[in-house]
Structure formats: C-alpha cells, structure tokens
Amino acid sequence: MGGLLAAAATVGVLPRLAFADAVPPGGGVWPNVFISPAGKPFRAKADAPYPVVVWFREADANGDGKLDKAEFLADCDRFFTGLDPNKTNVLGPLQIAIYEQRIAPEVLGGRVDLRGSAGGRPLLWLAQVDRPGPIDPGGPDTDAPTRYPHSLDESGQGAAPYSFFDEPEPLMAADLNFRGVVSRADFLKLAEAHFATLDDRDQGYLTLDGLPKTPVQKALEKGRRGRRKG
C-alpha cells in the first residue's frame, strides 16, 4: 500500500486540498475531531469549540446561519471534486486509499483523547473500522450489509464516533452498488439522504443549534463539565 501511495504522489494525483494535518504538531492524537457528512475531517485543540462549527460556517456559503440543501450538496460536491483530481467523476481504489490513509486516518482506527471525561484521567477512544486483515483499497467485502444511513450512529466504529451517521467509512458508504468505487452521482445521492435525515422537521435548511451531537462531542462536553465541577 505504501508503494501505491508513493506512486500516486510521483504522478501527481494526490488531492491538493487544505486539510489540517492528521497528526498534531509534536505527535499524539487530536482531542477534538468532527467528520462532516461528506467525510471531510475537521480537527481542533482540546479546549477549542467542537469543529462542527468550522464545517458549518464553511458550508454555509452566504453566511446566513441556515445551511440549505443547495449549500449542503455543494459542500459535498466540492469535497468529491478535491478527491477526484483527474476529473473522472469516480473515486477508485487509489483515491479511496489516499482518503483513508492520508486525509482521514480516523476511519482506520483514529483515537481521540477524551481527557477529563473519566474523573480527570485520560481516556482514549479507539474507533476501529470493522475490516479483517490488511487494509484493502478495493473497498468492503461485496457481501457486506449496506450502510445507506437513515439513523444516527450506534456502531462506534471507524468514522462513526466523529460523525452524525452510522458510517465507519464515509466514502464507501456511497458505494451503493458494492462495486468498490464511488461515483459522483451516488455520492450526491447519499448526500441528499443525509440532508433529509438531518432536516427531520422538513424546514429545508439546517441550523447549527439544531444539529445532533456526535458521540465524541458528547463525551468531550461531559469531560469539560466534570473538570468545572472538580
């Protein structure tokens, strides 16, 4: 796999996106992580606001505090475009491997330090994606159950603790036909389902206050309340 990624860098197909580093300066793990509905990771320091705020402001193109469906889909489409430098409208095994290993390694077993959420003691949340053996850039097994989500996360695997949805691997969740590739059309079809799930009151837009909290966000907030009481 390392050779595959090295070859990708050589031929210039690595996506040139302004992502935060997957590892914070000085090493360790980011204590504060959000993975957007499109699968884009946002990371912050322990005492910073949960980075869902950064995603929402980025996606809310007109800055009116309401993320409508067009803005939501445009945000997802921009992320797909960044992962598709050759403009094929399909993410294949190489692009998916780059995403998993370089952009959002949380999906393969990222850890969040929930310091303070257990009586002031460090607590590491290991979110390991459910895959047997070595990482396979070809995608999940063809007989795996669909992950087309219509409910909030309960799995605790991969990206799910950092996300609104039960999607251990956000890109492969859009592989609706289990082909091992993700088309732009299917990616946006999943984005529409995401929006409908989050817009549970059928308002036609989302607000920051109306969004659900991810499992990691809840744990971080609980830890901060515990520190204040102490």
Side-chain angles (χ1 to χ4, degrees), residues 133-157:
I135 303 305
D136 178 4
D141 297 336
T142 55
D143 59 353
T146 181
R147 288 172 180 156
Y148 197 77
H150 288 286
S151 61
L152 301 183
D153 172 67
E154 294 179 354
S155 73
Q157 296 176 339

Side-chain angles (χ1 to χ4, degrees), residues 6-32:
T10 300
V11 299
V13 298
L14 280 171
R16 297 181 179 275
L17 298 179
F19 292 109
D21 291 336
V23 177
V29 295
W30 286 102
N32 204 343

Side-chain angles (χ1 to χ4, degrees), residues 86-209:
N86 295 328
K87 300 181 180 179
T88 64
N89 290 317
V90 174
L91 304 180
L94 175 59
Q95 287 75 33
I96 291 166
I98 290 169
Y99 169 75
E100 293 177 343
Q101 297 195 20
R102 295 283 182 85
I103 296 170
E106 289 88 354
V107 306
L108 301 179
R111 296 182 298 168
V112 172
D113 184 350
L114 305 177
R115 192 175 301 274
S117 64
R121 294 179 292 107
L123 174 62
L124 293 179
W125 182 321
L126 177 63
Q128 181 60 56
V129 68
D130 185 17
R131 283 189 185 169
I135 303 305
D136 178 4
D141 297 336
T142 55
D143 59 353
T146 181
R147 288 172 180 156
Y148 197 77
H150 288 286
S151 61
L152 301 183
D153 172 67
E154 294 179 354
S155 73
Q157 296 176 339
Y162 318 100
S163 170
F164 299 137
F165 299 98
D166 185 3
E167 294 175 354
E169 211 288 20
L171 294 190
M172 296 311 300
D175 179 17
L176 305 182
N177 297 310
F178 301 101
R179 297 174 299 166
V181 299
V182 177
S183 70
R184 185 187 296 270
D186 283 350
F187 191 77
L188 294 178
K189 186 182 297 184
L190 180 62
E192 289 198 32
H194 281 162
F195 185 85
T197 300
L198 293 171
D199 184 22
D200 57 357
R201 294 194 291 174
D202 199 25
Q203 299 181 111
Y205 62 86
L206 310 175
T207 62
L208 187 58
D209 290 343

